[in-house]
Amino acid sequence: MKSTFRILVVALFTIAHAMAQTGVIEGTVTQGKTTIGLPGANVHLEGSTVGTATNGKGQFRLERVPVGEVVVVISSIGYTSERKQLMVKASETMRLDMGLTETVLDLPEAVVSSVSLTGGLTGLKEIPGSAYYMSPKEMLKFNYTDINRTLSAVPGVNIQEEEGFGLRPNIGLRGTGSERSSKITIMEDGILMAPAPYAASAAYYFPTMGRMQAVEILKGSSQIKYGPYTTGGAINFVSTQIPNTFAGRVSISAGSFANRNIHAYVGSSHKHFGYLVEGYHYGSEGFKELDSKGKTGFTKKDLLAKVRVNTDQGAKIYQSFTVKVGYTDEVSDDTYLGLTEEDFAANPLRRYAASQKDQIVSDMLQLSATHVAQFGERFRLTTTAYRNAFNRNWYKLNGLRDSTNASVDLGALLENPTGFNDAYNVMTGDNSTQANALQVRANNRSYEAMGVQTVFGTDLVTGKVTHGIEFGLRYHVDEMDRFQWDDWYAMDNGLMTLSTEGTPGTESNRIESAQAIATYLQYKVKVGKFTATPGLRYEHITLNLKDYKKNDPARTGKELEERSNTVDVVIPGIGLDYAFSDHLNTFAGIHKGFAPPGSNEGARPEESLNYEVGVRYNRFGLSGMLVGFINDYSNLLGADLAAGGGGGTTETFNGGKARTVGVELQVTYDLLSSLTKGFGLPISVAYTYTRATFLSDFESTFEGWGTVSSGDDVPYLAPHQLNVMLSLEHKRFNVNISGKYMDAMRTQAGQGEIPADQQTDSYLVLDLSASYNLFKRVSLFGSATNVTDAVYLVARRPYGLRPGMPRAFMVGIRAGF
């Protein structure tokens, strides 16, 4: 007994002595030079297991730190790491406050504002309007490859799902219309990415979400810098940046429907040289069930390389030259053919036999060269030359003929299958009596876009007034070459057999092109707590069409028809901001909205007057933004897109007066923000209310609008959208749950109660994800999307009903160095 007592006393004495030989380090990690705390940052002693993570306020506490000289390392995803050498004394508490610099782009901090839409999380409060920055840390939570799911957490974004994987998204901002994301400005690293953003803006190519490092969304008056589309806003995808030191990452995952994903990159920076090489492979067997047991999946591959040469970082005139080369190819067994009401109710995942030949094959080559010059601390100049070449052929069912050889429209057939019984039977696999029963169109198109853009900026201080001036100039040309044809098939025991092979160029045979000169001037003046940012944009656009007609596939010009349309527009805007404190500010803005028209006669540009007012707060683990907006259209522009249920001519048409009103709310709070034990429990809420209403009576040949009366609601806009995300975060693991609610959408223009056959479903989808750090740079991760396996209707266009993505699981491993 005495022996046990002595051992216990000795043990307690040893522990007490050891504790007396340790100290404590505590402090706050902030975002750059601001006073805003950085939650979830890793704080550890170099060469030891002593470590923790900052809480929701950015605070940390390291206990039992050995006495003597130690090195504290502070790091966070999306920020540069910092090291601090300290001398720890026994039984003392030391204070260490540190600001981490965001690595939004691999450019000097002063130049970032000229290239980035937001300047990262630290730059958001400098924007006099609504903006959102989805950081690398936020992107990793769910590791989404579907842009629709990624953007569901952002207020003010309108989405219409289509094929379930987000390959060809339909995205709008503030009620602009979502068809093929054709009414917003889409960029990657500040370069226009729609295949032909002026001549044919429908985005049949979209930047690959899974390889992006961050996403920026800008709305309000500041977006006039990023035309040509200034009504709703701009989205910029930030690709993987060249790392500061030798680093890389490999991520491998697999899951339901034979989904597979491999993403790898490696890069480094030296004194005068940097590079990055990246590869991305994404594929699936698909979740649709084809009657003929064929393929319904896809394979998409990206390769990307960057090389940078630069002067010394401290040079009097810092300069860098970066070349970026990217290539993407995709083969997708996708279709525009949906289901009838009855068939959707029986099996929403079914695909008809008549879509068995449907497939899109595409490739994209992007080239850019960027020169950056920073003249001291005041002047900066960024110039980029770029060229994008996109080719695609979407081979898909376009029509049928019944037993009497009468043509049957697919939209009419899906709405009323009993009225076209012969055609319905052939579509579902019955033998056809006509050899040419199924018309399959080769929607073969090639796109090219190129240009040069330059931005000059300077910052000046006169007394107590700060001035910022930015001037931008862009020369851009693009074109779309349509060279299409029709093949005809017979249906034989559920299988399609080619009966008549078409001649390329005999269906659609034309070239649409555009030349544009755009320039803007923005002035930012700050006096005390008040900031005003007026700006002016000018666009000179010439749109051309050369139609060689269907009878001249050789393009001899014997039936050539040409037309052109020239537009000159001045786009003014001003944003105002008042900072009550470092943590609370209010803003308001007004600017002109614009979208270029087509080349067709009588087409006028889309024009609107847009207003917003909002408030932004960020302190003590609580951040949020509340914005109200009005877009008042003098002319709402529509386009005849097959994706929107039209004929696919891409002709634009005037929709007259319209008005969109809405509210955006974003709130994030760490429920454990007061704790300093390394746990975080942030909850994020994003809500959007949107209502868009026609204010004119008109007749439209566009199926989605039809006959419109003043007061009708614009279709495919959900009045209410809500996303709630809750995360449990620790330095070793995190668990996340996300819930997305989408209100029912009207599928045709109208007012009052929505008829059952003219609406999509309202739905709630739950997603789960988790990750666990096995080692310092190795982690396991997994997710489950649509956990409850909810069945919901996302669209009735272009032909028939379409389901959302069913439940899917994914697991993977990620390793970095």
Side-chain angles (χ1 to χ4, degrees):
M1 188 72 176
K2 290 182 179 180
S3 176
T4 302
F5 178 75
R6 289 194 191 99
I7 292 173
L8 181 60
V9 171
V10 171
L12 291 173
F13 178 80
T14 302
I15 293 172
H17 179 72
M19 293 183 66
Q21 299 304 308
T22 62
V24 174
I25 302 174
E26 64 180 19
T28 302
V29 180
T30 58
Q31 299 177 20
K33 299 175 183 179
T34 71
T35 59
I36 300 173
L38 180 61
N42 294 312
V43 184
H44 72 276
L45 299 185
E46 190 173 66
S48 79
T49 59
V50 178
T52 187
T54 59
N55 65 9
K57 299 178 182 178
Q59 301 167 343
F60 71 92
R61 181 180 174 87
L62 286 175
E63 299 178 340
R64 298 184 184 180
V65 179
V67 297
E69 190 175 278
V70 299
V71 175
V72 180
V73 180
I74 304 177
S75 62
S76 183
I77 297 172
Y79 292 81
T80 57
S81 298
E82 295 289 344
R83 301 170 75 254
K84 184 70 175 180
Q85 188 171 310
L86 297 174
M87 180 62 70
V88 178
K89 297 181 180 180
S91 303
E92 289 191 7
T93 298
M94 301 192 67
R95 183 78 188 178
L96 175 61
D97 296 325
M98 185 81 71
L100 297 188
T101 302
E102 253 189 305
T103 54
V104 183
L105 300 169
D106 55 330
L107 294 170
E109 188 175 355
V111 180
V112 169
S113 62
S114 298
V115 181
S116 167
L117 269 65
T118 63
L121 292 172
T122 53
L124 287 176
K125 75 171 190 174
E126 301 297 326
I127 297 174
S130 178
Y132 191 94
Y133 178 74
M134 188 165 289
S135 67
K137 181 180 178 181
E138 188 176 354
M139 300 268 283
L140 281 175
K141 280 189 176 182
F142 280 90
N143 209 41
Y144 283 138
T145 55
D146 182 350
I147 182 63
N148 296 320
R149 278 186 147 81
T150 302
L151 294 183
S152 66
V154 182
V157 178
N158 310 115
I159 294 170
Q160 180 224 306
E161 293 186 37
E162 187 171 311
E163 87 295 319
F165 293 99
L167 299 174
R168 280 160 291 281
N170 300 287
I171 300 170
L173 296 172
R174 291 187 169 176
T176 55
S178 59
E179 297 87 356
R180 279 292 171 266
S181 309
S182 59
K183 301 291 281 295
I184 59 176
T185 300
I186 301 169
M187 297 178 285
E188 181 177 327
D189 296 332
I191 298 172
L192 296 174
M193 273 293 123
Y198 283 85
S201 60
Y204 288 91
Y205 168 81
F206 204 86
T208 303
M209 182 65 226
R211 65 171 175 82
M212 295 303 162
Q213 176 176 296
V215 181
E216 301 176 297
I217 301 96
L218 186 64
K219 296 160 284 186
S221 61
S222 298
Q223 65 170 292
I224 64 171
K225 294 167 55 177
Y226 306 104
Y229 301 91
T230 63
T231 302
I235 300 178
N236 183 46
F237 294 86
V238 181
S239 67
T240 305
Q241 300 298 293
I242 297 174
N244 294 325
T245 59
F246 181 67
R249 190 174 76 188
V250 177
S251 177
I252 301 174
S253 61
S256 305
F257 316 117
N259 287 4
R260 62 269 182 194
N261 192 324
I262 302 174
H263 183 202
Y265 70 82
V266 62
S268 182
S269 289
H270 303 278
K271 186 176 182 180
H272 298 131
F273 175 77
Y275 69 91
L276 173 83
V277 179
E278 183 175 27
Y280 184 85
H281 176 95
Y282 179 37
S284 173
E285 293 301 309
F287 61 86
K288 301 275 183 76
E289 301 164 3
L290 193 59
D291 287 346
S292 54
K293 310 300 181 185
K295 298 179 180 179
T296 64
F298 68 92
T299 299
K300 188 174 185 180
K301 292 174 285 187
D302 282 39
L303 294 173
L304 187 137
K306 298 180 182 180
V307 177
R308 184 194 68 236
V309 293
N310 57 269
T311 61
D312 290 339
Q313 291 290 335
K316 188 174 182 179
I317 300 177
Y318 171 84
Q319 296 186 75
S320 69
F321 184 75
T322 304
V323 175
K324 174 184 174 184
V325 181
Y327 179 78
T328 302
D329 69 57
E330 178 190 343
V331 177
S332 181
D333 299 301
D334 199 8
T335 182
Y336 272 3
L337 191 62
L339 298 171
T340 67
E341 289 269 7
E342 185 176 345
D343 290 336
F344 184 89
N347 180 9
L349 304 185
R350 181 185 178 186
R351 250 182 69 174
Y352 295 132
S355 68
Q356 62 189 261
K357 296 293 183 182
D358 290 14
Q359 183 183 77
I360 181 170
V361 178
S362 67
D363 62 80
M364 172 73 162
L365 175 66
Q366 55 171 305
L367 305 169
S368 68
T370 300
H371 175 262
V372 171
Q374 183 177 349
F375 307 90
E377 296 182 356
R378 289 188 176 180
F379 303 99
R380 54 195 178 272
L381 180 68
T382 304
T383 304
T384 301
Y386 59 90
R387 178 180 181 270
N388 298 327
F390 178 61
N391 303 288
R392 64 96 159 173
N393 186 1
W394 199 337
Y395 193 67
K396 62 180 184 289
L397 185 71
N398 193 70
L400 292 96
R401 288 178 179 168
D402 62 17
S403 58
T404 67
N405 208 33
S407 296
V408 178
D409 177 75
L410 289 178
L413 170 60
L414 272 294
E415 287 182 12
N416 182 24
T418 57
F420 302 95
N421 192 56
D422 284 353
Y424 175 80
N425 290 337
V426 172
M427 182 177 66
T428 55
D430 282 2
N431 291 349
S432 61
T433 57
Q434 300 292 329
N436 291 342
L438 299 117
Q439 179 192 44
V440 181
R441 177 160 296 167
N443 294 272
N444 180 54
R445 305 174 194 177
S446 59
Y447 303 77
E448 188 173 29
M450 63 182 71
V452 178
Q453 60 189 35
T454 187
V455 177
F456 172 78
T458 182
D459 297 307
L460 304 170
V461 178
T462 57
K464 296 182 179 180
V465 182
T466 302
H467 312 266
I469 302 172
E470 197 168 279
F471 172 77
L473 177 67
R474 178 173 68 209
Y475 175 72
H476 175 95
V477 295
D478 62 46
E479 75 169 31
M480 175 184 69
D481 188 340
R482 295 170 64 115
F483 200 64
Q484 305 182 173
W485 66 93
D486 289 335
D487 291 336
W488 289 89
Y489 287 81
M491 184 68 76
D492 185 8
N493 293 319
L495 299 178
M496 293 169 60
T497 57
L498 183 64
S499 54
T500 302
E501 186 174 357
T503 301
T506 55
E507 190 283 317
S508 185
N509 182 18
R510 67 177 191 260
I511 298 174
E512 298 178 53
S513 61
Q515 300 86 40
I517 297 176
T519 183
Y520 75 86
L521 178 65
Q522 184 168 276
Y523 171 58
K524 182 177 182 179
V525 57
K526 184 174 183 180
V527 183
K529 296 182 178 182
F530 178 76
T531 303
T533 311
L536 197 67
R537 183 179 187 85
Y538 170 73
E539 293 261 6
H540 173 80
I541 307 167
T542 301
L543 299 145
N544 306 294
L545 172 70
K546 289 185 176 181
D547 192 349
Y548 292 91
K549 304 297 184 180
K550 301 177 181 180
N551 295 323
D552 187 18
R555 292 184 170 176
T556 64
K558 63 182 181 180
E559 298 182 17
L560 179 63
E561 178 185 305
E562 296 186 77
R563 70 186 187 208
S564 66
N565 189 7
T566 299
V567 178
D568 288 279
V569 63
V570 176
I571 306 169
I574 184 170
L576 306 174
D577 184 280
Y578 183 80
F580 295 100
S581 67
D582 288 343
H583 311 285
L584 176 65
N585 66 295
T586 184
F587 56 85
I590 179 173
H591 76 281
K592 181 176 182 176
F594 169 80
S599 62
N600 49 302
E601 184 178 352
R604 295 184 288 117
E606 179 173 279
E607 294 185 323
S608 63
L609 200 56
N610 303 338
Y611 313 84
E612 74 168 356
V613 60
V615 61
R616 185 185 289 120
Y617 179 82
N618 191 341
R619 192 181 190 189
F620 296 147
L622 173 65
S623 64
M625 181 173 62
L626 176 64
V627 183
F629 66 88
I630 299 175
N631 294 348
D632 206 355
Y633 293 86
S634 58
N635 183 46
L636 179 66
L637 201 64
D640 180 29
L641 302 177
T649 66
T650 69
E651 296 278 294
T652 58
F653 49 87
N654 304 315
K657 294 183 178 181
R659 181 177 295 123
T660 300
V661 297
V663 176
E664 302 167 1
L665 173 67
Q666 176 83 39
V667 178
T668 300
Y669 179 64
D670 191 331
L671 300 175
L672 302 180
S673 59
S674 297
L675 298 181
T676 57
K677 298 299 183 181
F679 283 93
L681 191 64
I683 183 171
S684 178
V685 178
Y687 169 75
T688 303
Y689 168 77
T690 311
R691 186 182 180 189
T693 308
F694 291 106
L695 301 179
S696 303
D697 300 331
F698 63 93
E699 291 280 346
S700 168
T701 57
F702 175 46
E703 182 181 332
W705 287 2
T707 301
V708 174
S709 300
S710 179
D712 284 353
D713 291 332
V714 176
Y716 281 100
L717 280 176
H720 302 280
Q721 299 178 84
L722 177 67
N723 183 280
V724 180
M725 183 186 301
L726 179 66
S727 302
L728 176 61
E729 299 177 347
H730 186 264
K731 67 174 183 176
R732 294 299 301 270
F733 67 88
N734 69 73
V735 180
N736 312 284
I737 180 170
S738 171
K740 179 182 74 172
Y741 171 78
M742 181 76 76
D743 207 357
M745 293 188 286
R746 186 183 295 275
T747 61
Q748 295 182 28
Q751 49 190 297
E753 186 176 350
I754 309 175
D757 62 349
Q758 294 181 16
Q759 66 175 336
T760 64
D761 291 338
S762 59
Y763 59 87
L764 174 65
V765 172
L766 299 178
D767 294 347
L768 292 172
S769 74
S771 67
Y772 180 78
N773 297 327
L774 287 175
F775 308 105
K776 184 177 180 180
R777 299 184 184 274
V778 180
S779 60
L780 297 175
F781 61 91
S783 68
T785 53
N786 192 2
V787 175
T788 62
D789 203 21
V791 176
Y792 53 99
L793 170 66
V794 297
R796 293 176 178 268
R797 64 183 184 187
Y799 308 120
L801 283 67
R802 296 171 172 274
M805 181 81 166
R807 179 169 52 213
F809 299 95
M810 182 270 294
V811 294
I813 185 169
R814 184 187 301 117
F817 58 89

